Amino acid sequence: MCGILGGNLFKTNDDMKNGLTSMMHRGTDGNTILSFKNNMKLSHNRLSIQDLSEKADQPIPSEDERYWIAFNGELWKSTFKKFDKKLRSKYNFKTEKSDTELLLYILIDNIDNLEPIMNEIEGMFSFALYDKKEDKTILGRDFMGRLPFYYYYNNIGFLFSSEVKGLTESIDDLKYYHIDKGSPWKPSEYKEKEVIKIVETGTLLRFESDKTFKGYKKTESVWFDFKPNPFDIKHLTGYYPRTEEEFNLYENEDKGIDYYSSEFKRLLEEAVDDEMIADVPICTILSGGIDSTIISYILSKKLKKQGKRLTAYVVNVNKKRKTKVKDDLYYATLAAELFDIDLKVINYDEIDVKRKLVHSIWASETHKWTQVSPAVIQLALAWQIRKDGFKVVFGGEGADEIFASYGDVKRFCWHKPIWYHQKRVNLINNLHKSNLIRTNKAMMYGGEVELRTPFINKKVIDFGLRIPTKYRDDKEGTGQRMKYVLRKAFEKEIGSLNEELLWRPKKTFQVGAHSDFLKQPIWKEKIADIFKKLFIEKDDNKEIRELLAQGQSGHNRGSITETTID
């Protein structure tokens, strides 16, 4: 996991340094700014996880130095098996096992037709590929959008960054409003001013020099889409039938609960194994909920075969809690004892939450209390995880979306199968706009820790979204136990050890960790005000900036290297 910043609209190198420094929490193992002709700059903050050698520092050039890549993310084991041997026989690699260099040559090898090969790449990633010869830049993002990626474009040129702050801290007049239906200010008043855009999931953005207009043209192509329109009834491509007729064709077979539970279990275990690739130790978050419990269980089994014991982390925000309260800590302790996991408890209180509120908003880049509240807790998690020597942590994000196990879905969509199915597709399709990105930003800001989420592995999602809707609970739509297939999948293993753990009722992260007091109107208003000062009223935030700086003394600061490329 790393940080990318680049483009051709930076006024000075100092401006770019400001942006890169604001994202230094995304990696301090190598910090580089490259300057090319035509004002193009490409920079990178590295968090080394695969191939720890300096040769793997970024940006990495092709052998002839025509192409340069800055990469944020990881390629999984399956991608190495598919491409590494073949491409090493064709190209002269300078590293032994850098996934960045592997991606570079995958792209070069298919440079004239990139879209088809993108679907063959298993991993979580965002990247910028610069063609020095043609003065052309390609931005890409994986099909789920596990990692944040933003850009700004104005015909004259463009900028891109792993986080919003990389742009707003580089260019004085760039502001970020985060406009959506939940905004505390009128969308009609600010929407036209929202010039910082998301690099959409499953897309390629191309910026090419246009000498006729003395500027740059932007084109976008889509290589993956959860909701193609029209829905292909004949081939059943996509996941979003829009009519009852299409839905009946989509859901045209039922192989039984035993098949779906056992197959989901197999695919999830394979996904965990695929994502365990790392040259550094790994750990996990264990909230005691069914999702993190299952991921922790699978990891503990795999590490035991290697003679290792899994370390897990849980946050307790209620230090004065009664010992019998069945919250996150209760269930996490229960799971750790059953699976022989080394559980680390991070004690936090309401005062800590309030004190870190500014940091949470700065890290998550949002004004929504539903995102800020868990982000506060994740800052504490990440800080302790990195302090203990870990750079990689696993989590259970994505399961709620695959099975649409949310209270509002239960209330409004459960009774109608097509509505339920459409909702789960929408939840998956929009995950990159909410929980997924917030968690990534918070974990990186809190301690330079990379989050891996096997539930949103492509094969797991593909299978999960094709499970018949009748299995959305234990009684074909009239039961109370959500995520029935997931629980059933591990019934013989986890359930045989403790049924209470397997069938624990769902709790949101902030409720389970006791930080949900931030939903009170006074706190929601305060969150919106802080966000506005940080990302909109940038010249009127001295007090907020000083408060932010007070808590950043523990962050590592890398030394930025600047190089000019002829």
Side-chain angles (χ1 to χ4, degrees), residues 415-543:
H415 65 289
K416 198 170 180 65
I418 187 173
W419 290 358
Y420 165 80
H421 175 71
Q422 289 174 336
K423 189 65 176 180
R424 65 178 174 176
V425 176
N426 284 331
L427 285 167
I428 285 290
N429 192 43
N430 293 321
L431 189 55
H432 71 285
K433 298 177 182 179
S434 55
N435 298 1
L436 198 58
I437 294 308
R438 174 257 301 158
T439 301
N440 175 274
K441 291 178 180 178
M443 297 302 290
M444 291 299 290
Y445 184 86
E448 296 179 46
V449 176
E450 173 182 287
L451 175 72
R452 298 188 180 181
T453 49
F455 274 112
I456 52 177
N457 177 279
K458 188 180 290 185
K459 291 181 180 178
V460 174
I461 286 180
D462 179 73
F463 184 80
L465 293 181
R466 299 185 190 279
I467 295 173
T469 56
K470 66 183 289 186
Y471 299 120
R472 58 194 179 276
D473 60 37
D474 56 327
K475 293 184 179 179
E476 298 187 9
T478 62
Q480 297 301 315
R481 290 176 165 176
M482 297 188 286
K483 297 184 194 168
Y484 182 56
V485 171
L486 178 61
R487 299 177 197 271
K488 194 74 176 174
F490 290 87
E491 186 176 39
K492 292 181 180 179
E493 297 178 33
I494 297 176
S496 65
L497 296 173
N498 189 287
E499 285 197 0
E500 181 185 15
L501 187 62
L502 184 69
W503 300 101
R504 177 196 180 186
K506 175 180 171 56
K507 297 285 186 183
T508 62
F509 184 76
Q510 52 265 45
V511 170
H514 307 290
S515 64
D516 57 323
F517 70 88
L518 291 176
K519 69 181 177 183
Q520 297 171 12
I522 187 173
W523 285 104
K524 290 168 71 174
E525 185 178 337
K526 186 175 182 63
I527 289 169
D529 183 61
I530 294 171
F531 176 87
K532 200 169 185 178
K533 284 182 167 64
L534 286 171
F535 294 99
I536 301 175
E537 299 171 354
K538 294 164 54 180
D539 295 329
D540 186 30
N541 58 12
K542 183 178 180 181
E543 182 181 348

Side-chain angles (χ1 to χ4, degrees), residues 17 20 30-34 42-44 558-563:
K17 277 185 179 180
L20 197 63
N31 310 97
T32 303
I33 294 176
L34 299 183
L42 188 60
S43 68
H44 190 266
S559 176
I560 297 175
T561 300
E562 300 177 59
T563 303

